Amino acid sequence: MSFAPQSILVTGGAGFIGSNFIHSFLAGNPGSQVTNLDVLTYAGNLNNLRTLENNPAYSFVRGDIGDATLVAQLLTERKVDAVVHFAAESHVDRSISGPEIFVRTNVLGTQVLLEESRKHWQSGVVNDFRFLQISTDEVYGSLGESGFFTEETPLAPNSPYSASKAGADMLVRAYHETYGMPTLNTRCSNNYGPFHFPEKLIPLLIHNIINRKPLPVYGDGKNVRDWLHVNDHAAAVEVVLKTAAPGSIYNIGGNNEWFNIDIVNLVCDLLDERLGRSSGENRTLITFVKDRPGHDRRYAIDASRLKRDLGWEPAYTFERGIAETIEWYLSHQEWVAEVTSGSYREYYTQQYGGAA
Ligand code: NAD
Ligand code: DAU
């Protein structure tokens, strides 16, 4: 089965993974149109897409996925034949201190997007249609020392963030089962790479090391995450969109498990060398801090279904990916300063309207 979308609505395309996806999709699919619908929260930054500003295949609309009128208008006017839904509140720590917005965006926002997509698909404005829900391995909860998450692992989310993503996944499932809507669902492990907001572990480490700030390690540092380069995630999303059977779910992961403390030590050592600091100097910045409440111990993805059915495999080794990511942050310190100061938000409000 092969599906060739002509007009894609990407939600949350100004965020980390969405912006990387838009770059790679447009580069590989000349002739397709991409509309980026993003409300520009603290995590959205149009500088991630600056090189596309004059590309006629790309357009940006500032708006909320929960705005049914706007979503319906975009779907109809642009004859959208695929929705690739990245928009979300995505940071676990923020979901612990303020869960409400996570339910509003991730659950209710997804429901609005699904409902307007259902009406659009049933109206027959386009011949074929897909709704791709971008989800996370966190919906499966936490693993012990062995084993992997498969697509059959029961959902057991532990944080308000993962609970809201699991809720959205269940709605996607229900729209397929109830209405026969051609939905797809991917669940990926931890991403790293360019344009990653520096509240997440890897960009936070790089940024703090450059600036000789403390490196907070939660708990004993022995939690395990399974890291995948964002370009590999983007490639997997494209393969699923074009070739997966409607109703299917695919795990995405790179079989690349690390204890947090080992990642911290690695980034310290690579930056000792890169910044000409003495061996072990950056490790002195490591500071063990109070653990995250409900902190999932281990994630590990079994992505064999994706490899077997659709032929996807990661292209990046971790050695290459982490080295390139460090170089990217070293050469984009202005980007980091900008996204952490929030000064760009007023400018966007003048350009595109909406709340600052
Ligand atoms: P991000 O926080 O960097 O970006 C989220 C984007 O969504 C931002 O541009 C933000 O402005 C936008 N947004 C938020 N609320 C919105 C709303 N109501 N309407 C329109 N736009 C809105 O997130 P990310 O890390 O790029 O994650 C993207 C998706 O991938 C999320 O759904 C997340 O659950 C999933 N995911 C992330 C990872 C990861 O490691 N970062 C791994 C697996 C899955
Ligand atoms: O697994 C996929 C998920 O990965 C995505 O669904 C989420 O959107 C994304 O944020 C990410 O969630 P994590 O909680 O795993 O990522 P984070 O970068 O916040 O933390 C990674 C690990 O590092 C986790 O075990 C917590 C720990 N950590 C994090 C920070 C920010 C620290 O020890 N210190 C820190 O300062």
Side-chain angles (χ1 to χ4, degrees), residues 1-3 5 81-85 110 114 128-135 168-177 180-187 236-252 306 310:
M1 180 176 306
S2 187
F3 169 65
D81 53 7
V83 173
V84 183
H85 177 33
T110 300
L114 278 166
D128 207 354
F129 184 78
R130 297 287 186 278
F131 183 104
L132 201 172
Q133 157 76 354
I134 305 294
S135 191
D169 285 12
M170 291 291 101
L171 284 167
V172 170
R173 174 189 158 85
Y175 269 70
H176 178 70
E177 294 296 323
M181 195 164 131
T183 61
L184 299 163
N185 197 162
T186 57
R187 295 180 179 144
V237 167
E238 187 173 331
V239 167
V240 170
L241 178 66
K242 289 177 169 176
T243 58
S248 53
I249 299 173
Y250 282 97
N251 284 347
I252 305 172
L306 181 56
L310 309 183

Side-chain angles (χ1 to χ4, degrees), residues 244-267:
S248 53
I249 299 173
Y250 282 97
N251 284 347
I252 305 172
N255 212 5
N256 179 39
E257 290 181 55
W258 287 77
F259 286 115
N260 289 342
I261 190 64
D262 291 342
I263 287 274
V264 177
N265 285 331
L266 175 74
V267 176

Side-chain angles (χ1 to χ4, degrees), residues 10-20 36-46 48 60-67 85-91 101 104-106 109-110 133-138 161 164-165 186-192 195-197 199-200 226-228 230 233 252 344-345:
V10 174
T11 70
F16 165 46
I17 306 174
S19 57
N20 280 287
N36 173 16
L37 173 64
D38 196 303
V39 79
L40 299 178
T41 67
Y42 77 95
N45 184 358
L46 288 183
N48 302 2
F60 171 71
V61 177
R62 187 177 193 181
D64 196 313
I65 54 165
D67 180 344
H85 177 33
F86 291 94
E89 290 294 332
S90 70
H91 191 39
I101 184 70
R104 191 146 30 102
T105 298
N106 300 359
T110 300
Q133 157 76 354
I134 305 294
S135 191
T136 167
D137 59 359
E138 298 201 13
Y161 161 69
S164 67
K165 293 296 291 186
T186 57
R187 295 180 179 144
C188 190
S189 60
N190 285 63
N191 286 210
Y192 69 98
F195 304 124
H196 203 181
F197 195 86
E199 65 185 350
K200 308 282 172 68
D226 184 357
W227 294 96
L228 183 73
V230 65
H233 186 187
I252 305 172
Y344 63 95
R345 293 178 50 77

Side-chain angles (χ1 to χ4, degrees), residues 5 17 22 29 92 108-109 119 168 203 213 242 285 293 320 345-346 348:
I17 306 174
I22 290 175
N29 294 272
V92 174
L108 299 177
K119 292 187 215 159
K213 287 185 179 166
K242 289 177 169 176
L285 298 167
R320 172 187 161 202
R345 293 178 50 77
E346 197 178 321
Y348 290 151

